[in-house]
Amino acid sequence: MTLTSWAYDVAEGLLADSLPKRWAHSQQVYRQALDLAPMLGDDADLLAAAAIAHDVGYADVAVSTGQHMIDGGRYLQRVGADRRLCAVVALHTSSPWEAAELGLSDALNEFVPVPGYLVDAITYCDLSSSPDGQPVDPEDRLEEVLRRYGPGHVVFRAVSAARPELLRMVQRVRDGVTASSAHELN
Ligand SMILES: [Fe+2]
């Protein structure tokens, strides 16, 4: 069984019935990850697994701190997931900024180090997928998150602080896609 098929079953079990919108979003994040597979080589399976499972921290059974990236990473550790998968889930998108807002930065040290390009890739996939599972421009997606939570909310503060770096992460992935398709043409 691949890491992806294991993670797909776990995420579907946690999200499909109880949080169908999150599940639709997760499936689009997964499709974005499959599109990046050609430039990720051996890491394509890990990214696809992380993409489908990245929001399991919203499931009731996983919630503990309320920071869904950390809760998702910890839940996956409890059920015996690959340690790198747990780490990519724990670090996705604005996680370090939200953890700082919540005094949870130390929790991120529970996870194994993973290469920055994997964090860039999961973040790109997440920000390219709307909450209801459509492709979306990352700039618009960040605006939507800020509108949805509103000033004063921890997510608003974290995403406001994170936005410049998140957009740099998106750009690095786009540059990688361009370079890898140019390489294929040569
Ligand atoms: Fe997400």
Side-chain angles (χ1 to χ4, degrees):
M1 190 186 225
T2 62
L3 196 52
T4 301
S5 62
W6 179 86
Y8 200 102
D9 289 348
V10 169
E12 186 172 33
L14 291 176
L15 302 176
D17 291 336
S18 53
L19 296 168
K21 203 170 152 185
R22 293 265 178 222
W23 178 236
H25 164 74
S26 299
Q27 288 174 291
Q28 178 59 27
V29 177
Y30 172 67
R31 287 190 284 273
Q32 298 282 1
L34 296 184
D35 284 347
L36 296 184
M39 73 172 204
L40 285 171
D42 291 346
D43 287 327
D45 185 35
L46 173 57
L47 180 69
I52 198 66
H54 79 287
D55 273 350
V56 297
Y58 284 112
D60 279 349
V61 68
V63 174
S64 100
T65 67
Q67 204 274 30
H68 79 275
M69 302 89 158
I70 291 171
D71 290 349
R74 282 179 170 172
Y75 175 82
L76 291 167
Q77 295 208 133
R78 283 204 298 282
V79 298
D82 178 293
R83 311 256 307 156
R84 296 167 309 150
L85 169 59
C86 303
V88 175
V89 168
L91 287 167
H92 82 265
T93 316
S94 54
S95 179
W97 290 268
E98 281 186 44
E101 283 281 343
L102 295 165
L104 291 169
S105 296
D106 284 352
L108 292 174
N109 297 327
E110 295 167 16
F111 300 94
V112 296
V114 285
Y117 64 83
L118 286 172
V119 180
D120 287 358
I122 187 71
T123 299
Y124 166 86
C125 295
D126 191 18
L127 293 179
S128 304
S129 305
S130 75
D132 56 357
Q134 302 300 315
V136 68
D137 183 85
E139 297 240 22
D140 296 341
R141 167 87 156 108
L142 288 169
E143 286 302 322
E144 182 278 324
V145 171
L146 293 174
R147 267 198 314 278
R148 177 154 39 109
Y149 287 94
H153 194 285
V154 59
V155 173
F156 182 96
R157 292 197 300 274
V159 170
S160 297
R163 179 159 53 174
E165 179 58 20
L166 296 177
L167 292 173
R168 279 193 286 274
M169 294 162 90
V170 167
Q171 193 54 49
R172 283 197 290 269
V173 174
R174 285 178 169 155
D175 291 347
V177 170
T178 305
S180 103
S181 30
H183 182 73
E184 270 169 35
L185 290 173
N186 288 332

